Amino acid sequence: MDYKDTLLLPNTDFAMRANLPENEPKRFAKWQKEGAYAKMKANRKNASASFCLHDGPPYANGHIHIGHALNKILKDIIVKTHYFSGERVRYTPGWDCHGLPIEQQVENKLGQKKKTASKAEIREHCRAWASEFINIQRDEFKALGVIADWDEPYLTMKYAFEADIYKALCAVAKKGLLIERSKPVFWSWAARSALAEAEVEYEEKEDYSIFVAFGLSPEAEQKIDAKGARAVIWTTTPWTLVANQGISLNPNETYALTAENLIFAKPLIESVVAQGLSKGEIIKEFKSTELEGLYAINPLNGRKSLFMLGEHVLMDGGSGLVHTAPGHGEDDYFVSLKYNVEVIMPVDEGGCYDETLRLKELLAKDLLDEFIGMHIFKANDRIVELLGEFALKVSKFTHSYPFCWRTHKPVIYRATKQWFISMDSPKLSGGRSLRQVALSELENVEFIPAAGIKRISSMIENRPDWCISRQRDWGVPIAFFRHKGSKEPIFDEGVLEHIASIFEQKGCDAWWELEISELLPKNSKYKADELEKVYDILDVWFDSGSTWNAVLKSGNYDAGGFKADMYLEGSDQHRGWFQSSLLLSCAINECAPFKSVLTHGFTVDGKGEKMSKSKGNVVSPDAVAKEFGVEILRMWVALSDYTDDLKISPDILKQTAEQYRKIRNTIRFLLANTNDLKEIKTDNFTFIDKWILSRASEAFSAVTKCFKSYDFSKGFNILLGFLSGDLSGIYLDICKDRLYCDSKNSARRISAQSAMSLIAKALLSLVAPTLTYTVDEALNSAPSAIKGDWSDVFSISEFKLDFDFGIDASFLLASRELFNENIDKLKKDKVIKSTLELELVTDSRRILALCDEFGDDISDFYGVSAVVAKESGEVLCEVLCKFACDEANFSTQKASAFKCPRCWKFNASKANALCPRCEAVMESK
């Protein structure tokens, strides 16, 4: 007889093959149509705990890349981790809409029309460009299964948002932290705008290394009694020599005159000898203070160069005499300020020499036409040539140099009048500075990883004042009036509030479109014809740095409260969004805007190399979704250690897909084998079920702890280890016999099904934040015993396993492992096909006691037909293998009974007969 039809075989419509690329988009669209985010809010509206993740705005320019996908998926997993834990969650996505990249795209699009386009027209084009890519990126994020308030995102170009940005600026001004001054700042000649520290990245650049001899004025020669002596400076920027105003010396060092009549710092004599500048014979030594206030002569133009003293002069290279051009360096600027030296700036916004060369006589008259309009970097060669014999040594070297992160062109220091937020003015409570408040507040923030606090603290400690002004069109204006005569800005509260109210209604385009008289409040004490507008715009980091105000405090969004529970971005945002948000909140609120900060690394290819189109190693989210499915991309995020750079490649994704299949197939097995269970029963578990429930409780508890501390990689490794090992490798294999061959309502079958249902329910709730699609699909196929009142994935609440039956199965597991090692040899030698052909013989009292108490559970644990006691002195006629474990002896022999044709166990009394268990099942049918 064929007994196959009498078996209770597994059955489920939860498919083994997920067909993710084909099926995911349909389910994601269904979530959006049914309002998944609104459902999540409604399901937790009465929850006592809450979690607000404040979204760092991506830039509305271009399609999303794999870094965007990593960022948004990680945020989604974390928000859902809190949601499925039973908390109220808020996640309002947003976009940065202003700034240079969009403006440049518009300029490229306009071409020659840009020259005749008004500011209003350019801004209108920029707004349209940003709107187009917001919609593109929103759909691309939705396609990643990310659930958020997509219907009400925050956009920094919304009128009310622009007003809130402006209000934050006014609040900083009212605190007395906003200052306007002429000072060298990072200047992008390619973008024709000032830059903040956060907009500068460092790349390798080849530059000159040049030692230049400056002659001394007669007074200086007389002072040190060294006629014909020359002071040697070292510079890497020959183009700045036209703007030289001084030479800085270290106030605490001794300087030396060598036999070549050259002046160097004495500690650097050995170094300059190595450079071939001197043989090292010192004729005279003198203190730097002897030259202070006297002059050298610039060999390029014959202008006087003041000797100054500055602590910034170091003895770690060069000559110990620092070429000082106050318009082209921060240290130069401050030391010149101390000596009341004029700041000369002969470079225009495009990086070319301007008419200042002529006005200040910075070059000989016959050279002016050649140099005016020449780009400074192109001038280096010519300046070196003009120096002639005064250039004592000329070479080139490669070093780390600041570049504009938008245009990827090298930047310069250029002194212009800009707006700054002061880091050190004692304007905050208790006479504290913004720097002091920010550093203090960082101590109250949790950083993940913990090292993040050191990185951002170091940046705050050393950063200069924040230059917030830009000379572009597409941004929020620094909308202040100033008196035409005095040039003093007006911070009148009534005027500022009136401008903010106009921005709320018309957007900040009104600053350019309306006349001054229309921007002043009625009956204002100020006269329009005596005022002028400031036309600079705000650094885009000010926009994003004030989002806590416009999103969390304005009441315009249901985005959670202030402070946010978490800010989450790439590790580069320690210098960017984290820092700008911290500084603005500390300036206005005197507290950090976040309770925790989580950072992730960058995406790199499988070899750890940066992705680039030229290398052909770019992995796009869309391509991954089409080949593997979004769940695999989400699983990759969860399995990766996000605290470091994350490797991704087709091979890595294939490995991830295998790990996904392990989870999916485990869920499928659990669903298929519990399909006919009506009710979970927990009052009569067998030994094996008690063991697996205890192990599952322990493993899931560890996984939950990892997930709630955002260590997803470790959590999934623990989970996969449990699923592959104890659950699939042992328990599910053991249970097949009782699930398929026992009667439908046998106690031990129901016990196993109940244990599986509990594990399945806990597993689904555990992986729901990451594998949301898969869990939602599984619930469609889940039996009511598992599903309960869960209608879909968003109705799931945390389901914990909390079983500890006090079972110590370590000896069982150890002996089972040794048993399997020996059996593998028997199978390889074709002595047996199945372990059911065997009986396990042992003298272990522990094993035999378990057999007496739990019967077939123990033989099933080893996968044999019986476990029997070895009598003292008994000699087996045929020992197939033997081994020892913890001083207990084990051996195997062929089973003494016959094979049951239904369950294949060797427990039948005669050939072709059913074993007692199967016979009873058949009789009951």
Side-chain angles (χ1 to χ4, degrees):
M1 178 179 176
D2 185 357
Y3 290 100
K4 182 178 179 182
D5 292 339
T6 72
L7 301 177
L8 298 170
L9 296 176
N11 182 34
T12 181
D13 58 6
F14 182 64
M16 181 181 294
R17 290 180 60 83
N19 291 324
L20 296 173
E22 180 183 344
N23 295 328
E24 284 173 334
K26 302 170 189 174
R27 192 171 295 269
F28 293 160
K30 180 173 178 283
W31 290 351
Q32 300 300 333
K33 185 178 180 180
E34 294 176 351
Y37 183 74
K39 189 183 294 185
M40 288 169 67
K41 290 202 296 184
N43 287 346
R44 299 288 187 267
K45 64 182 179 181
N46 296 320
S48 57
S50 65
F51 177 78
C52 160
L53 191 152
H54 182 44
D55 194 30
Y59 201 71
N61 188 31
H63 292 270
I64 67 169
H65 52 65
I66 199 70
H68 287 122
L70 159 65
N71 180 267
K72 277 294 192 286
I73 288 172
L74 185 56
K75 288 174 179 174
D76 186 63
I77 292 172
I78 287 176
V79 169
K80 286 175 181 171
T81 295
H82 286 271
Y83 172 75
F84 288 118
S85 295
E87 299 177 39
R88 283 180 288 117
V89 294
R90 292 294 183 271
Y91 178 35
T92 298
W95 275 271
D96 246 338
C97 307
H98 298 124
L100 180 63
I102 290 173
E103 191 172 342
Q104 285 180 322
Q105 293 288 353
V106 166
E107 287 176 352
N108 293 337
K109 183 179 177 183
L110 290 175
Q112 292 300 314
K113 294 180 182 178
K114 180 222 170 189
K115 295 178 180 179
T116 57
S118 66
K119 282 185 180 289
E121 289 172 328
I122 291 174
R123 288 175 63 83
E124 184 180 347
H125 282 292
C126 289
R127 191 176 293 276
W129 183 278
S131 296
E132 177 185 353
F133 279 99
I134 286 165
N135 291 328
I136 288 171
Q137 290 186 1
R138 173 164 36 195
D139 289 342
E140 290 172 335
F141 286 137
K142 286 181 181 180
L144 297 175
V146 175
I147 305 300
D149 194 357
W150 297 116
D151 294 332
E152 291 294 334
Y154 74 81
L155 311 177
T156 60
M157 66 181 183
K158 282 184 178 178
Y159 291 171
F161 207 111
E162 289 180 333
D164 281 326
I165 294 169
Y166 178 67
K167 288 175 186 176
L169 174 66
C170 295
V172 173
K174 290 173 189 175
K175 290 276 190 173
L177 295 173
L178 193 62
I179 52 178
E180 187 184 21
R181 66 168 181 261
S182 181
K183 176 180 178 289
V185 294
F186 281 125
W187 184 271
S188 173
W189 51 266
R192 295 175 177 262
S193 179
L195 300 178
E197 290 277 321
E199 295 174 301
V200 172
E201 56 189 20
Y202 287 81
E203 299 179 20
E204 293 297 301
K205 180 178 182 291
E206 185 182 66
D207 271 321
Y208 274 100
S209 169
I210 179 170
F211 290 87
V212 182
F214 279 52
L216 301 187
S217 68
E219 295 82 5
E221 287 183 338
Q222 184 178 354
K223 181 70 175 180
I224 62 170
D225 190 20
K227 191 168 182 62
R230 295 185 295 173
V232 181
I233 64 94
W234 173 73
T235 184
T236 61
T237 55
W239 63 267
T240 64
L241 287 170
V242 298
N244 174 274
Q245 289 285 73
I247 296 176
S248 296
L249 311 175
N250 186 297
N252 306 309
E253 291 294 346
T254 298
Y255 284 76
L257 179 69
T258 68
E260 294 83 8
N261 229 13
L262 301 177
I263 298 172
F264 303 100
K266 185 181 177 184
L268 289 168
I269 290 295
E270 187 176 329
S271 172
V272 299
V273 169
Q275 295 272 1
L277 294 164
S278 169
K279 293 181 179 179
E281 181 183 350
I282 296 176
I283 303 300
K284 179 178 291 187
E285 296 180 9
F286 56 91
K287 291 292 184 183
S288 58
T289 52
E290 292 188 49
L291 284 177
E292 183 183 17
L294 300 175
Y295 293 94
I297 306 299
N298 187 338
L300 197 60
N301 53 25
R303 288 169 55 89
K304 288 183 176 181
S305 183
L306 180 68
F307 282 112
M308 300 178 276
L309 304 182
E311 297 285 350
H312 68 286
V313 181
L314 305 177
M315 298 295 117
D316 57 356
S319 64
L321 295 88
V322 174
H323 150 56
T324 302
H328 294 299
E330 193 164 17
D331 289 331
D332 300 33
Y333 170 79
F334 282 116
V335 73
S336 298
L337 197 66
K338 175 183 169 185
Y339 286 88
N340 200 28
V341 171
E342 180 186 8
V343 176
I344 293 178
M345 175 43 57
V347 180
D348 68 16
E349 62 182 17
C352 297
Y353 288 122
D354 63 17
E355 287 290 334
T356 307
L357 292 181
R358 192 186 312 277
L359 294 172
K360 295 292 183 180
E361 298 179 353
L362 303 183
L363 282 173
K365 289 181 180 180
D366 62 337
L367 295 172
L368 293 175
D369 289 342
E370 177 187 354
F371 275 84
I372 293 173
M374 180 187 291
H375 195 280
I376 52 173
F377 290 159
K378 291 182 179 179
N380 278 328
D381 293 346
R382 184 74 173 106
I383 286 174
V384 170
E385 182 184 340
L386 289 171
L387 285 169
E389 64 179 13
F390 293 97
L392 301 181
K393 182 179 181 183
V394 180
S395 60
K396 288 189 176 182
F397 75 117
T398 300
H399 64 145
S400 180
Y401 189 88
F403 278 66
C404 171
W405 78 333
R406 298 296 193 193
T407 64
H408 303 291
K409 300 291 186 182
V411 303
I412 60 174
Y413 262 108
R414 180 171 180 264
T416 56
K417 202 162 190 179
Q418 303 289 343
W419 292 89
F420 297 86
I421 293 178
S422 172
M423 292 297 297
D424 296 308
S425 299
K427 300 289 186 179
L428 301 179
S429 64
R432 295 182 299 166
S433 68
L434 177 54
R435 195 186 308 276
Q436 289 171 324
V437 172
L439 289 171
S440 174
E441 276 299 302
L442 287 175
E443 299 296 329
N444 302 322
V445 178
E446 178 188 7
F447 282 86
I448 307 160
I453 189 171
K454 293 180 181 178
R455 186 174 183 192
I456 192 170
S457 294
S458 173
M459 291 175 175
I460 296 292
E461 284 172 355
N462 298 301
R463 68 160 296 141
D465 293 342
W466 179 7
C467 177
I468 62 167
S469 49
R470 299 291 179 270
Q471 291 67 48
R472 301 295 302 184
D473 295 333
W474 180 228
V476 175
I478 299 178
F480 298 137
F481 296 120
R482 65 166 102 246
H483 289 285
K484 287 182 179 177
S486 67
K487 302 299 182 182
E488 285 296 311
I490 293 170
F491 296 144
D492 180 273
E493 191 163 347
V495 173
L496 301 182
E497 288 179 357
H498 183 67
I499 293 171
S501 68
I502 292 174
F503 287 0
E504 284 179 349
Q505 299 299 316
K506 300 181 179 182
C508 62
D509 291 351
W511 186 247
W512 288 273
E513 295 169 353
L514 300 181
E515 298 295 329
I516 292 176
S517 58
E518 298 174 283
L519 291 164
L520 287 170
K522 289 182 180 179
N523 304 317
S524 172
K525 63 182 179 180
Y526 298 99
K527 296 179 180 179
D529 60 356
E530 296 177 354
L531 305 177
E532 62 186 17
K533 296 178 184 177
V534 173
Y535 282 112
D536 292 342
I537 64 168
L538 282 167
D539 170 13
V540 74
W541 288 109
F542 192 103
D543 289 21
S544 57
S546 65
T547 55
W548 53 263
N549 180 52
V551 179
L552 302 181
K553 294 191 80 173
S554 68
N556 294 331
Y557 301 88
D558 182 15
F562 181 84
K563 304 176 176 181
D565 291 289
M566 178 178 284
Y567 276 35
L568 186 167
E569 296 302 326
S571 55
D572 58 330
Q573 295 308 315
H574 284 119
R575 69 170 186 168
W577 188 54
F578 300 147
Q579 193 173 148
S580 63
S581 300
L582 174 71
L583 292 178
L584 284 179
S585 183
C586 287
I588 297 170
N589 307 307
E590 300 197 17
C591 68
F594 35 66
K595 297 176 185 175
S596 67
V597 168
L598 186 148
T599 54
H600 59 75
F602 299 102
T603 52
V604 294
D605 72 7
K607 297 177 182 177
E609 296 179 357
K610 187 177 180 180
M611 293 185 192
S612 69
K613 290 181 180 178
S614 61
K615 290 182 181 178
N617 62 349
V618 173
V619 177
S620 73
D622 182 58
V624 176
K626 287 178 180 176
E627 182 177 356
F628 295 96
V630 170
E631 288 290 78
I632 306 307
L633 190 58
R634 294 176 66 89
M635 187 91 178
W636 165 75
V637 172
L639 284 170
S640 301
D641 177 8
Y642 61 76
T643 63
D644 201 350
D645 288 347
L646 291 80
K647 292 182 180 179
I648 187 169
S649 68
D651 286 342
I652 290 171
L653 289 168
K654 287 175 185 175
Q655 294 169 14
T656 304
E658 286 299 319
Q659 290 161 313
Y660 168 78
R661 275 191 282 274
K662 166 52 67 178
I663 295 175
R664 184 180 181 90
N665 289 339
T666 301
I667 293 172
R668 185 173 185 274
F669 187 96
L670 294 171
L671 298 183
N673 284 285
T674 56
N675 66 311
D676 59 358
L677 181 67
K678 302 302 181 187
E679 179 185 0
I680 295 174
K681 294 186 177 181
T682 60
D683 56 348
N684 194 27
F685 286 123
T686 69
F687 170 82
I688 290 176
D689 300 322
K690 288 179 179 178
W691 168 73
I692 197 61
L693 285 169
S694 297
R695 281 291 299 117
S697 297
E698 181 184 357
F700 287 5
S701 175
V703 173
T704 300
K705 185 177 180 182
C706 289
F707 285 0
K708 289 189 175 180
S709 61
Y710 315 123
D711 193 348
F712 301 107
S713 175
K714 182 179 178 181
F716 266 103
N717 281 319
I718 295 171
L719 179 62
L720 287 163
F722 168 74
L723 297 183
S724 299
D726 290 346
L727 187 64
S728 297
I730 301 176
Y731 177 74
L732 298 182
D733 191 50
I734 289 171
C735 288
K736 288 177 183 177
D737 173 73
R738 63 192 62 191
L739 290 169
Y740 303 168
C741 301
D742 274 16
S743 62
K744 181 177 180 180
N745 295 316
S746 77
R748 68 175 195 163
R749 184 173 188 270
I750 290 175
S751 173
Q753 285 185 307
S754 295
M756 288 182 183
S757 296
L758 291 168
I759 291 170
K761 195 156 188 168
L763 177 60
L764 291 174
S765 78
L766 200 58
V767 301
T770 303
L771 304 179
T772 315
Y773 167 88
T774 302
V775 173
D776 198 36
E777 183 192 358
L779 282 178
N780 288 348
S781 305
S784 57
I786 293 175
K787 194 170 183 178
D789 58 359
W790 294 351
S791 57
D792 61 21
V793 67
F794 301 107
S795 62
I796 288 180
S797 55
E798 186 175 37
F799 186 81
K800 294 181 180 179
L801 290 181
D802 189 18
F803 294 98
D804 184 3
F805 293 102
I807 291 175
D808 181 6
S810 56
F811 181 69
L812 267 173
L813 291 167
S815 59
R816 185 181 188 274
E817 185 175 350
L818 290 170
F819 169 78
N820 286 332
E821 287 177 8
N822 282 271
I823 293 306
D824 286 343
K825 297 174 186 174
L826 295 178
K827 288 182 177 179
K828 186 177 180 180
D829 295 339
K830 298 183 180 180
V831 176
I832 62 169
K833 292 182 179 179
S834 166
T835 56
L836 290 176
E837 300 173 35
L838 303 175
E839 293 175 347
L840 181 64
V841 183
T842 184
D843 60 7
S844 169
R845 293 182 180 179
R846 280 181 284 181
I847 299 297
L848 296 173
L850 289 171
C851 288
D852 290 341
E853 186 175 358
F854 301 111
D856 289 343
D857 272 19
I858 308 307
S859 57
D860 285 351
F861 199 89
Y862 292 97
V864 295
S865 289
V867 177
V868 296
K870 178 184 179 183
E871 300 298 335
S872 179
E874 179 186 1
V875 178
L876 295 174
C877 59
E878 187 180 6
V879 176
L880 299 181
C881 68
K882 57 183 178 179
F883 59 93
C885 181
D886 196 16
E887 298 183 359
N889 297 302
F890 294 84
S891 60
T892 59
Q893 63 187 20
K894 287 280 188 175
S896 56
F898 293 91
K899 181 179 181 180
C900 171
R902 183 171 180 270
C903 70
W904 298 359
K905 281 188 172 183
F906 284 69
N907 286 331
S909 58
K910 58 184 180 180
N912 299 318
L914 295 174
C915 67
R917 184 265 309 265
C918 289
E919 189 173 2
V921 172
M922 293 300 296
E923 287 176 357
S924 67
K925 287 186 177 293

